[in-house]
Amino acid sequence: MESKRARLDRFLAKVLQIPRKQVRQLLLARRVKVNGIVATEIDMQVNEFSCIALDEQLLRQNSPRYYMVHKPVGVVSATNDELHGTVLALLPEALQSGLHIVGRLDLNTSGLVLLTNDSRWSCVLMQPGAHVEKEYWVTLANPLTEEYAPAFALGMYFGFEDMTTNPAQLEIIGSHTARVVLTEGKYHQLKRMFGRFRNPVVALHRSRIGGLELDDALGPGQWRALDGDEVTKGLF
């Protein structure tokens, strides 16, 4: 999603329902403040989190919000769905407005999903060129062998899309379990990569996005707000 930026004069003209000529007069009279500072430039850029006031009366005040959610299996990464519960619906209704999903998971995958109203943050976190790590714990139907890790590290070619996956880290944890770190999120990527070994994925759980780990205290379906340090961690 793109950041919702606009010129200050256009915003004021729309909110106050006045022509932009009158907006210019308000600015010349120093009656408008943006984030507590007197605004005088008509082409000043504001965004969805700018605090804008006229004669000390707030016209808009919107704060960025960030939440982590422990998505259970059977819940969809969507804002609404007729058949299943949604990640958004796990939060109280009063908090849902304006939020979008960062790092979607499919119906049968559990783990860390992020929700925010800050499109700039989510764009940085999810843009393909950022190569933000996503860590998964995978349970397989059949035993793992030493062949898996080198194959994941080299990347795999899929002819249907004519694409090769980025190198991925695979660590064998047990006979049927592995920890995998990806830097991309192709459609059903892990299931398809393990499919090369004809080894079906039985369970898939995401534990980390970037430097942000799912809180162990959160059970399936639970959520909490991120603190300032965690918002920054998510980007690295």
Side-chain angles (χ1 to χ4, degrees):
M1 298 181 66
E2 295 183 357
S3 179
K4 300 173 183 176
R5 297 180 65 84
R7 281 174 46 137
L8 178 61
D9 60 339
R10 291 174 181 169
F11 169 81
L12 292 172
K14 181 177 180 180
V15 170
L16 299 173
Q17 295 294 295
I18 60 175
R20 272 192 263 176
K21 184 177 180 180
Q22 286 184 239
V23 171
R24 188 186 300 268
Q25 293 171 351
L26 294 176
L27 295 174
L28 287 174
R30 303 175 66 83
R31 295 172 59 188
V32 177
K33 288 184 178 180
V34 176
N35 298 328
I37 300 173
V38 173
T40 57
E41 301 295 329
I42 61 172
D43 59 352
M44 178 181 183
Q45 294 289 305
V46 295
N47 60 48
E48 64 265 44
F49 303 124
S50 298
C51 178
I52 302 171
L54 172 64
D55 296 333
E56 306 300 333
Q57 297 296 312
L58 284 176
L59 301 178
R60 185 181 67 186
Q61 184 176 31
N62 186 28
S63 300
R65 294 178 288 138
Y66 312 89
Y67 305 101
M68 70 162 58
V69 180
H70 185 163
K71 181 187 115 44
V73 170
V75 169
V76 294
S77 294
T79 54
N80 58 75
D81 189 276
E82 295 182 358
L83 297 177
H84 303 94
T86 68
V87 170
L88 192 64
L90 296 173
L91 272 66
E93 188 173 351
L95 296 179
Q96 295 176 18
S97 178
L99 296 178
H100 60 270
I101 299 167
V102 186
R104 295 173 182 269
L105 294 174
D106 66 28
L107 181 68
N108 296 314
T109 301
S110 63
L112 177 61
V113 170
L114 303 172
L115 295 172
T116 186
N117 63 345
D118 186 349
S119 54
R120 294 168 297 177
W121 185 73
S122 58
C123 281
V124 171
L125 198 57
M126 289 293 109
Q127 63 181 340
H131 301 299
V132 175
E133 290 187 348
K134 294 95 176 173
E135 180 182 71
Y136 297 85
W137 296 83
V138 192
T139 303
L140 288 309
N142 304 316
L144 292 152
T145 67
E146 294 181 356
E147 299 173 306
Y148 284 71
F152 273 64
L154 286 173
M156 295 183 186
Y157 177 74
F158 291 94
F160 184 76
E161 298 96 334
D162 189 26
M163 65 91 178
T164 301
T165 63
N166 290 340
Q169 303 172 38
L170 183 145
E171 178 186 3
I172 296 176
I173 304 299
S175 62
H176 292 69
T177 57
R179 183 184 71 90
V180 181
V181 178
L182 303 179
T183 58
E184 58 188 345
K186 306 295 186 185
Y187 180 71
H188 288 322
Q189 181 172 342
L190 282 174
K191 293 178 181 178
R192 296 170 68 193
M193 293 177 79
F194 282 106
R196 283 290 173 85
F197 295 89
R198 298 184 179 179
N199 198 349
V201 172
V202 174
L204 186 58
H205 177 85
R206 183 165 63 200
S207 56
R208 178 170 63 87
I209 298 176
L212 188 57
E213 295 187 7
L214 179 62
D215 192 332
D216 290 337
L218 294 180
Q222 295 184 326
W223 63 276
R224 70 167 174 80
L226 302 184
D227 62 33
D229 288 340
E230 288 174 325
V231 171
T232 303
K233 276 183 182 178
L235 302 178
F236 299 98

